[in-house]
Amino acid sequence: MIREIRLLGDPVLRTVADPVEDVDDDVRSLVGDLMDTMYEADGVGLAAPQVGIALRVIVVDTREEGGEGPLALVNPRIVESSSGTEKAEEGCLSIPGIADIVERSCAVVVEALDPDGQPLRVEAEGLRARALQHEVDHLDGVLFLDRLSALKRRMALQKWRKLQEGDDA
């Protein structure tokens, strides 16, 4: 099922998501909805808070960008990050029309549960590592704008406000 993506300003995007206590059919249904919604919006990742559910569940699929296929993670934790970083442009389905350069670790190791509740360890680099870091940030109420300098963040927010005013016109 396609769910409505919450936009910048919605308080759920600034909420620290709760851990999933039991990976059950409801969680698996949520994973399916996150995948459907991500694909419908042409995204490479989506976190449960972005559809209004404050649970620690994310999906990522970087296949279209030459990366690896779909991944669904419950209670993901970044347990290792490379000291090397890289800068690349990021956008967010919750802040459409806004993108900027964000510096992130080149590689990460993420531990989580899969949709069957089984432990999973994912080693990622490049776009997949970036997408995982971006989505885990969402679970902590952090947006990519928070990773920008004060000046760039202010400029991005001004652009966002203008885009929103244009929608109302």
Side-chain angles (χ1 to χ4, degrees):
M1 175 176 81
I2 307 297
R3 296 193 184 220
E4 179 186 349
I5 296 176
R6 303 298 179 92
L7 299 179
L8 180 64
D10 190 311
V12 73
L13 295 174
R14 293 303 193 172
T15 302
V16 175
D18 294 323
V20 172
E21 298 297 330
D22 184 31
V23 183
D24 56 15
D25 287 342
D26 289 342
V27 171
R28 284 185 280 281
S29 177
L30 173 60
V31 164
D33 291 354
L34 287 171
M35 287 284 189
D36 292 346
T37 304
M38 174 183 67
Y39 292 135
E40 177 71 17
D42 288 327
V44 296
L46 193 64
Q50 290 181 273
V51 297
I53 298 171
L55 284 177
R56 298 188 80 79
V57 179
I58 65 171
V59 296
V60 170
D61 187 348
T62 55
R63 192 175 31 196
E64 288 291 314
E65 308 298 324
E68 296 179 61
L71 185 63
L73 301 176
V74 178
N75 297 334
R77 292 178 316 130
I78 296 173
V79 295
E80 289 179 43
S81 298
S82 67
S83 57
T85 60
E86 60 188 4
K87 294 179 181 182
E89 188 173 77
E90 281 187 34
C92 180
L93 295 176
S94 291
I95 318 171
I98 304 295
D100 213 319
I101 303 298
V102 177
E103 185 171 5
R104 295 203 185 259
S105 294
C106 297
V108 294
V109 176
V110 178
E111 290 181 351
L113 300 175
D114 71 13
D116 294 318
Q118 298 302 307
L120 188 63
R121 183 177 168 94
V122 178
E123 296 180 18
E125 56 186 30
L127 179 61
R128 193 169 179 96
R130 177 171 294 279
L132 286 167
Q133 291 170 83
H134 179 109
E135 299 311 328
V136 169
D137 270 357
H138 273 299
L139 302 180
D140 295 325
V142 175
L143 300 174
F144 86 91
L145 296 176
D146 302 328
R147 303 230 176 249
L148 302 176
S149 69
L151 175 63
K152 285 189 160 211
R153 184 171 41 253
R154 200 165 38 252
M155 290 170 52
L157 289 170
Q158 285 174 343
K159 182 177 178 185
W160 170 254
R161 281 191 283 278
K162 284 184 179 154
L163 287 171
Q164 295 312 294
E165 289 167 10
D167 286 349
D168 294 340

